Amino acid sequence: MDSQLGPGPRRILVTGGSGLIGKAIEHVVIKEGDKVDGEEWIFLSSKDANLLDVVQTRAVFEKHRPTHVIHLAAKVGGLYLHMRDNLYFLRDNLRINDNVLQMAHELGVTKVVSCLSSCIFPDKTSYPIDETMIHNGPPHDSNFCYSHAKRMIDVQNRAYFQQYGRRYTAVILANVFGPHDNFNIENGHVLSALINKTYKAKKEGTALNVWGSGNPQRQFTYSLDIGRLILWALREYDEIDPIILSVGEQDEVTIKEAVEMIVESLDFKGEILFDTSMSDGQMKKTASNAKLRRYVPDFVFTPLKEAIQRTCEWFVENYDSART
Ligand code: NAP
Ligand code: GFB
């Protein structure tokens, strides 16, 4: 891939490098060898620096002196963790993002790519949602704190450009899953939590308990595809305005359809229950990837069934070390 990263050595610091998407980027760079000459990659976890702490944030930036930053670190979780802990999704993410963006600015980082989420869009809206609609109305109640913190990254990016000419931008992701996800049943996102639940139900000979009606729709996107697209954004995407990196509207499925794919991948033959006393969250947040398609018309997303199959295989093979 040609690069617009500019001349000279490039030290690319990935905050949140130990998480789902950080590990996917590491895989693409190291295992798939998608590395441009002169690039040095640094993948951080919270053990390297607690980015809630401005002193630790400064120390880790001064240690590595990055020229480019992929900013992934965040307080992250599925619907039910958001509903239990909304306030800290706001407070923690505001602090982490402010520390990282301001430190990047103070140390002269050329480019930052941060991550937004399709759940931050207005709840009452027309579909499909696109990049111009982020601030058009209140987000869904279930994760309003995370959504407001994420929206502020877009505001910060515009302000760093207006005031200092900094080219800091953001990508907007839909529901991402894959190897190294958080498979915790209480706190994880839907696919990873359900893969773990199905695995356990099969082992214990119990029913699979799906939370909610199964009717909400989601655009599930494989983490390895997101890893490849974030590298493209770092090297090629030159706008301050954000861009949606997701499978298209036609690939949206219901939770029920996703459950069927997990059950098939793990060969689960038991009973499947839908607990409608649990919240469905947002019924849909259908996002358009038309802008992405204008830039990379030929990018091929991994089909959902194949991506779920690969994630289930990874989970079974790595059960003892996976985040459960
Ligand atoms: P993840 O698997 O939960 O990983 C989170 C990462 O952030 C980990 O590396 C974690 O480090 C780090 N982190 C958390 N708190 C930190 C702190 N105080 N200081 C330093 N590092 C900290 O999350 P992910 O799914 O890869 O998400 C990456 C980004 O994509 C996030 O900004 C998220 O909001 C965004 N996003 C994700 C999805 C999705 O479906 N997964 C969808 C839309 C947007 P440790 O490993 O050391 O804890
Ligand atoms: O991935 P998820 O937790 O969050 O998915 P969101 C929630 C949907 O999956 C709801 C259903 O419709 C749930 O009823 N579901 C069924 C389950 N069974 C389960 C289960 O066992 N666990 C979970 N978690 N859900 C997220 C935001 O919203 O969107 C994230 O909360 C992120 O932070 C992501 O931004 C993109 O898709 O509702």
Side-chain angles (χ1 to χ4, degrees):
M1 206 185 269
D2 289 340
S3 170
Q4 297 179 351
L5 286 185
R10 291 160 294 223
R11 265 187 312 285
I12 302 152
L13 186 77
V14 182
T15 73
S18 52
L20 166 69
I21 296 170
K23 284 288 181 190
I25 293 175
E26 189 180 55
H27 181 94
V28 175
V29 169
I30 292 167
K31 295 245 171 69
E32 294 180 6
D34 185 357
K35 203 169 168 187
V36 171
D37 280 349
E39 279 181 7
E40 181 192 338
W41 286 82
I42 302 134
F43 293 89
L44 296 183
S45 79
S46 63
K47 293 190 189 76
D48 298 297
N50 179 357
L51 299 172
L52 286 166
D53 181 315
V54 69
V55 174
Q56 291 188 41
T57 307
R58 179 179 291 283
V60 85
F61 270 73
E62 284 180 342
K63 177 176 172 191
H64 295 292
R65 292 266 159 193
T67 56
H68 296 73
V69 171
I70 297 176
H71 173 39
L72 307 175
K75 178 172 166 71
V76 175
L79 168 66
Y80 303 101
L81 182 63
H82 281 269
M83 291 171 70
R84 286 197 303 276
D85 210 18
N86 245 314
L87 175 63
Y88 288 91
F89 276 91
L90 180 73
R91 295 196 65 213
D92 288 5
N93 286 320
L94 284 176
R95 281 165 70 191
I96 290 174
N97 298 336
D98 190 52
N99 285 342
V100 167
L101 290 172
Q102 178 61 15
M103 218 46 74
H105 164 60
E106 285 182 23
L107 294 195
V109 170
T110 312
K111 182 164 181 179
V112 180
V113 179
S114 301
C115 279
L116 314 183
S117 165
S118 61
C119 69
I120 76 172
F121 284 106
D123 185 37
K124 296 197 177 19
T125 184
S126 56
Y127 297 101
I129 309 168
D130 71 34
E131 292 85 350
T132 64
M133 296 158 76
I134 295 179
H135 304 282
N136 285 0
H140 193 261
D141 251 8
S142 59
N143 50 30
F144 73 104
C145 283
Y146 175 82
S147 298
H148 281 296
K150 287 287 185 186
R151 285 182 182 192
M152 284 308 112
I153 291 182
D154 178 54
V155 174
Q156 284 168 295
N157 287 343
R158 278 160 41 201
Y160 277 109
F161 179 66
Q162 187 193 72
Q163 205 152 336
Y164 299 112
R166 292 285 181 215
R167 305 204 68 82
Y168 299 166
T169 190
V171 295
I172 306 173
L173 312 178
N175 289 65
V176 186
F177 70 99
H180 301 280
D181 207 343
N182 174 10
F183 292 87
N184 184 279
I185 285 173
E186 303 296 326
N187 299 338
H189 287 110
V190 55
L191 289 192
S192 48
L194 283 176
I195 288 171
N196 192 358
K197 278 186 180 177
T198 308
Y199 176 82
K200 275 203 161 73
K202 183 179 171 183
K203 208 162 65 176
E204 293 164 8
T206 53
L208 167 61
N209 205 347
V210 180
W211 290 339
S213 66
N215 294 328
Q217 293 172 286
R218 296 290 183 267
Q219 281 161 296
F220 293 111
T221 311
Y222 192 41
S223 60
L224 271 295
D225 294 339
I226 291 299
R228 293 179 194 113
L229 286 171
I230 290 180
L231 287 193
W232 165 79
L234 180 80
R235 293 169 181 156
E236 306 291 332
Y237 181 68
D238 204 31
E239 297 184 34
I240 308 302
D241 288 339
I243 182 166
I244 293 170
L245 308 182
S246 167
V247 297
E249 299 146 61
Q250 70 285 355
D251 294 318
E252 193 170 49
V253 297
T254 63
I255 301 296
K256 192 161 183 250
E257 286 167 326
V259 169
E260 284 160 10
M261 294 183 204
I262 294 173
V263 160
E264 194 186 327
S265 293
L266 289 173
D267 193 30
F268 174 76
K269 304 271 191 241
E271 192 183 3
I272 302 171
L273 304 172
F274 288 85
D275 181 351
T276 51
S277 71
M278 297 289 279
S279 169
D280 270 336
Q282 221 164 342
M283 289 312 285
K284 65 179 195 170
K285 37 193 172 180
T286 319
S288 162
N289 70 359
K291 182 173 179 180
L292 176 69
R293 283 302 181 200
R294 286 197 290 278
Y295 276 102
V296 285
D298 298 330
F299 185 84
V300 179
F301 284 96
T302 310
L304 181 57
K305 210 168 162 182
E306 181 184 332
I308 287 182
Q309 177 75 43
R310 287 202 219 157
T311 307
C312 288
E313 284 166 10
W314 185 91
F315 178 70
V316 172
E317 279 164 24
N318 294 278
Y319 183 76
D320 291 336
S321 57
R323 280 189 286 167
T324 54

